[in-house]
Every structure is written in structure tokens, then in C-alpha cells.
Amino acid sequence: MKHTRKNIFYHELIGLYVRILEHTDPSLVSVSGIVVDETLKTFVIETRDGHRKRVLKENGVYQFRLPSGEKVIIRGSQILGRPEDRLKNIVK
């Protein structure tokens, strides 16, 4: 399934470019990079300089760049859960 604005909630986020637009931790605002890991409540962003930042999903607003180049803004509360569990919700 191709990543689109409508189905981004059901996809793996690993491999997508992300930029943090808002977060309860002000030091994370404007952090950007590639999502390299994702868990139930967090994801790990590898920045350009090779550092990895673990970020709580629920506490922020993120801009993801889809493979097509389209940019999508998502609230962290919309992507809570393990990727495999989000996929199961498609069937329900």
C-alpha cells in the first residue's frame, strides 16, 4: 500500500523524514531527521549529524514527508500504538 495523506496513520513510520513542529519538550522543537525506530509511545529520529533522539509521540505535532514528497502534519496522539496494531485497525 502506498503512503498517502489519508492512510499515513496505518503505515510504518520507519524510514520517513520527520520534523517536530511542536512538543512539550522545547529542546525537541525543530528537530528533524529519519525515523529509525518506533514503539508503542515513542519513535527514534536520527538527525543529520548522526545523533538519535527518542521522542514521545503523544506530546508533539509532527510534519512527515511522504515518499511522494507530500508533507503531512499529524498530532502525536493520532499515531499512538505499535505499527502492527495500527495496521490491525484497518480491518476493524
Side-chain angles (χ1 to χ4, degrees):
M1 186 184 328
K2 186 175 156 184
H3 286 82
T4 66
R5 176 179 296 280
K6 291 181 182 178
N7 70 15
I8 187 71
F9 308 107
Y10 305 112
H11 268 284
E12 277 275 348
L13 301 176
I14 295 173
L16 293 180
Y17 179 85
V18 64
R19 182 167 184 245
I20 302 174
L21 301 178
E22 296 175 24
H23 204 276
T24 55
D25 179 353
S27 70
L28 292 174
V29 174
S30 296
V31 168
S32 61
I34 303 294
V35 177
V36 293
D37 191 22
E38 181 182 6
T39 66
L40 179 72
K41 295 183 179 184
T42 68
F43 50 81
V44 178
I45 300 171
E46 186 169 316
T47 61
R48 226 179 205 181
D49 58 5
H51 290 96
R52 290 184 175 204
K53 304 262 186 189
R54 184 167 298 275
V55 178
L56 285 172
K57 294 177 184 177
E58 188 173 23
N59 297 343
V61 176
Y62 310 95
Q63 180 183 59
F64 287 92
R65 187 170 60 210
L66 304 180
S68 65
E70 181 180 11
K71 294 178 181 176
V72 180
I73 296 174
I74 299 174
R75 291 200 155 285
S77 58
Q78 295 175 291
I79 53 174
L80 281 178
R82 291 182 205 92
E84 59 271 21
D85 293 340
R86 289 196 313 260
L87 286 171
K88 289 176 190 175
N89 290 333
I90 294 174
V91 178
K92 291 182 181 178

